Amino acid sequence: MSHSPDESVARSLAVIGAGPAGLAAALAAAVRGSRVTLIDAGAQAGGQFYRQPAEELGARHPQALHHQWRTWKRLRDGLAAHTAKGRVTHLTEHHVWCVERLAEPSGFLVHALHGPAQEEPSVVRADAVVLATGAYEKVLPFPGWTLPGVITAGGAQAMLKGGLVLQGRTAVVAGTGPLLLPVAAGLAAAGAQVAALVESAGARDVARHAGTLAAHPDKVVEGAGYMAELMCRRVRLKARHAVVEAQGDGALEAVTVAALGPDGRVAPGSEQVIACDTLAVGHGLLPHTDLAETLGCRLEGTAVAVDDEQRTDVHGVWAVGETTGVGGAALSLAEGHIAGCSAAARLAGREPDPRAWNAAAKSRTRTREFVASLDAVFAPRAHWAEQVTDDTVVCRCEEVPASAIREAVGELGATDARTVKLLTRAGMGWCQGRMCGPAVAGLTGCEPVPSRRPFARPVPLGVLARTGEDLPDE
């Protein structure tokens, strides 16, 4: 088992995740004297938001795939400078599967699998931990969603940013949420023909929150810029519409979209077929809370609960970014800076001075207000489950159709998501319910509950067998 060089250094901080929140936390702590180990699953820092093409692809203008490039350069250069000075140890391709609390001596052991194959065990010891584990996409099924060519909106963006590839030549971008705009604009700029942008929200939804949205002109301008680009490329915007079915013989060939009535139901007779070979669909994001749940951190809804310093209710654990509630890069940067300042002070035995993060705290408050309005505008449409036919596969890992899930509730008496899982195996596969969990909850009317999984990802049995033997002596 490999060990980080920082394991034996007193008062060290482990930051898990090198996206905007994790980078901001690591840099803020390093500036204030903490020894930081930045642990990330990616081959390069940046996370999903600042995902970079592999160096061997030789991208000449990677900035064309991003906005806020100056912010990324500041974070990247700061990380390089602190790494060169030995203040930060950056561990890439380290997939964290568990964070273990130590009773004596106090602190934490961060267990990870190293390398592309995720089979080489690694452990990092730290006195405190910042969880910056990000989010994953919320997937709502519909007939045909398992056809090749149907991907998530974030997946399409990741392929473009990280691999410089397009899924196909003619795309439809659909679902709801602000992510759809940059995805559609990015695909169009890369050469795909975007046949339509299908958004379930409409002008009335935006108008209800116009006051809060207008208080953030930078965000309004950013969204307007994407819209102008799409209009220049003659992309059809179909507001208050939704994809109700994907069609194809072995691969995607077309999608059926329909208008939505005031109650969110499909308006009869409004269906329209759009030919395409790619459907990038997204319904928002959900916080990654596996590690936080394993540590026993309290959740509020689907997010990790934190105080004004970004501390969880578990001593020595901070949480930042999307894991505390999905809010975008600006909110992640603010929360990361606050957590880094707080952790550095408390590791040094001092009470933090809130003046150190005054600007970040103001940004956090303003951005949270903006995000709350966005969540209200772009909530997944009501009654989406009515379009899910009984033969639609809901859990792809275990190939469980919607009929089995409905039977578990209607005929077998299941009253909660766990019982549905036991009766149908929905959520027992490789992804452990991350993909199908929201769909199962929506189809059954059961409230999703925290999973408290012992591990955040699959772990080889050999690694588990050796873990106890290879831990450093206390």
Side-chain angles (χ1 to χ4, degrees):
M1 182 175 291
S2 65
H3 302 285
S4 162
D6 288 335
E7 284 176 34
S8 61
V9 177
R11 318 318 297 162
S12 59
L13 178 67
V15 178
I16 303 172
L23 286 170
L27 296 181
V31 165
R32 288 159 180 81
S34 295
R35 298 293 298 273
V36 179
T37 302
L38 179 61
I39 308 166
D40 190 54
Q44 303 179 68
Q48 298 300 321
F49 188 80
Y50 292 119
R51 180 187 286 269
Q52 303 297 306
E55 292 183 3
E56 53 267 29
L57 293 177
R60 287 180 286 184
H61 302 288
Q63 63 270 25
L65 301 172
H66 297 269
H67 63 290
Q68 300 182 11
W69 186 256
R70 290 183 179 178
T71 302
W72 161 243
K73 285 186 64 178
R74 176 177 59 81
L75 295 169
R76 179 194 63 190
D77 295 347
L79 175 61
H82 286 297
T83 300
K85 294 177 181 178
R87 297 171 181 164
V88 175
T89 299
H90 182 200
L91 302 180
T92 60
E93 295 186 320
H94 277 64
H95 305 261
V96 177
W97 57 271
C98 180
V99 179
E100 178 184 2
R101 294 178 68 186
L102 298 175
E104 293 295 338
S106 62
F108 301 86
L109 292 177
V110 180
H111 298 278
L113 299 172
H114 178 224
Q118 301 182 35
E119 294 184 353
E120 181 184 344
S122 175
V123 63
V124 173
R125 170 171 277 163
D127 297 294
V129 174
V130 174
L131 301 175
T133 48
Y136 61 99
E137 289 193 80
K138 183 176 184 177
V139 178
L140 301 179
F142 50 87
W145 76 292
T146 58
L147 279 171
V150 181
I151 58 177
T152 64
Q157 189 178 58
M159 291 171 64
L160 185 58
K161 286 183 176 182
L164 305 181
V165 295
L166 293 170
Q167 168 75 16
R169 302 306 304 174
T170 304
V172 170
V173 179
T176 190
L179 177 63
L180 301 187
L181 284 174
V183 169
L187 293 176
Q193 177 187 351
V194 179
L197 172 59
V198 183
E199 168 61 66
S200 63
R204 290 184 179 179
D205 301 299
V206 176
R208 293 190 188 101
H209 301 272
T212 303
L213 299 178
H216 298 264
D218 55 332
K219 296 295 185 181
V220 174
V221 170
E222 181 182 328
Y226 286 129
M227 286 300 300
E229 184 175 350
L230 293 174
M231 291 176 63
C232 288
R233 297 181 183 277
R234 298 184 178 180
V235 175
R236 288 181 290 172
L237 172 62
K238 303 187 77 62
R240 293 296 296 169
H241 280 67
V243 170
V244 295
E245 185 178 5
Q247 300 111 357
D249 184 9
L252 180 68
E253 297 173 3
V255 298
T256 298
V257 304
L260 301 176
D263 61 355
R265 288 186 167 92
V266 168
S270 65
E271 293 84 357
Q272 177 185 359
V273 177
I274 302 176
C276 61
D277 58 14
T278 299
L279 171 61
V281 61
H283 297 95
L285 302 172
L286 292 170
H288 257 308
T289 59
D290 290 350
L291 295 177
E293 291 174 38
T294 302
L295 284 164
C297 300
R298 182 173 64 89
L299 301 187
E300 289 182 351
T302 60
V304 179
V306 293
D307 65 9
D308 288 344
E309 295 180 31
Q310 299 296 136
R311 294 180 297 174
T312 72
D313 60 342
V314 175
H315 181 72
V317 179
W318 284 254
V320 295
E322 312 285 43
T323 192
T324 68
V326 176
L331 181 57
S332 294
L333 290 168
E335 292 183 354
H337 180 80
I338 292 168
C341 294
S342 170
R346 294 195 177 277
L347 283 172
R350 303 189 306 270
E351 279 293 319
D353 182 357
R355 291 176 297 181
W357 62 74
N358 186 51
K362 290 180 179 178
S363 174
R364 179 178 63 182
T365 299
R366 293 182 68 252
T367 307
R368 282 178 177 173
E369 293 173 352
F370 179 75
V371 169
S373 293
L374 287 183
D375 289 343
V377 170
F378 296 111
R381 68 182 180 90
H383 310 296
W384 61 266
E386 294 178 1
Q387 272 67 58
V388 180
T389 57
D390 281 346
D391 60 349
T392 300
V393 172
V394 175
C395 173
R396 300 180 71 161
C397 297
E398 295 293 324
E399 298 184 351
V400 180
S403 59
I405 294 169
R406 287 170 172 148
E407 180 184 14
V409 175
E411 299 181 24
L412 301 180
T415 59
D416 59 84
R418 176 175 173 79
T419 305
V420 172
K421 177 179 180 179
L422 293 174
L423 290 172
T424 66
R425 295 191 60 82
M428 289 190 180
W430 182 266
C431 82
Q432 287 293 286
R434 292 173 182 84
M435 295 291 288
C436 66
V440 171
L443 284 170
T444 62
C446 299
E447 288 293 325
V449 294
S451 58
R452 290 299 295 269
R453 302 180 185 92
F455 309 135
R457 62 178 59 247
V459 185
L461 290 177
V463 171
L464 292 178
R466 297 195 303 272
T467 295
E469 302 172 359
D470 294 342
L471 292 181
D473 295 334
E474 300 294 346

